[in-house]
Amino acid sequence: MPPPSTRPVDKIDDDDYPAYTMGRAADMLGTTPAFLRALGEHRLITPLRSEGGHRRYSRYQLRIAARARELVDAGTPIDAACRIIILEDQLEEAQRINEDLRTRGGTS
């Protein structure tokens, strides 16, 4: 039996597993490979590379790319869309930390 970390089910359920090729990712998002490359150039997502050097995307990265596409489709320039998403992520993390601190050490 393979080690637990290499079981196929683990990869299927792993949001960070780079399961999608650039072409498949672009098709799923209804966009072009150039759009995905632009997101990489703006450092919004960094796809992993296959042994052959091809870009591979995770489900998590596809969700981020989908959010970027929503903003761009609404008329936001791609560089601004990437910055907005980064700021949204930072805000969400700060709120999560704040809530954690509040629930762990609420009384002094």
Side-chain angles (χ1 to χ4, degrees):
M1 179 171 186
S5 63
T6 60
R7 293 185 309 210
V9 172
D10 292 340
K11 292 178 183 177
I12 290 170
D13 292 336
D14 185 356
D15 269 358
D16 295 318
Y17 182 72
Y20 303 97
T21 63
M22 177 179 274
R24 179 70 179 129
D27 184 53
M28 290 171 68
L29 295 168
T31 190
T32 64
F35 179 78
L36 292 172
R37 281 192 295 274
L39 296 180
E41 290 167 11
H42 288 283
R43 295 193 166 110
L44 182 62
I45 56 176
T46 304
L48 292 175
R49 298 282 182 149
S50 68
E51 289 182 19
H54 300 284
R55 290 173 179 91
R56 304 285 296 198
Y57 296 88
S58 69
R59 286 187 298 189
Y60 174 74
Q61 290 172 324
L62 293 184
R63 284 194 299 273
I64 292 171
R67 174 71 177 128
R69 176 151 189 239
E70 288 173 8
L71 291 168
V72 170
D73 286 352
T76 306
I78 194 165
D79 57 332
C82 291
R83 186 68 184 136
I84 288 167
I85 294 166
I86 290 167
L87 290 170
E88 287 174 341
D89 185 58
Q90 290 173 346
L91 176 60
E92 185 179 308
E93 178 65 15
Q95 289 172 330
R96 189 173 24 254
I97 291 168
N98 193 17
E99 182 61 27
D100 185 50
L101 290 172
R102 210 176 296 146
T103 57
R104 272 196 295 143
T107 58
S108 302

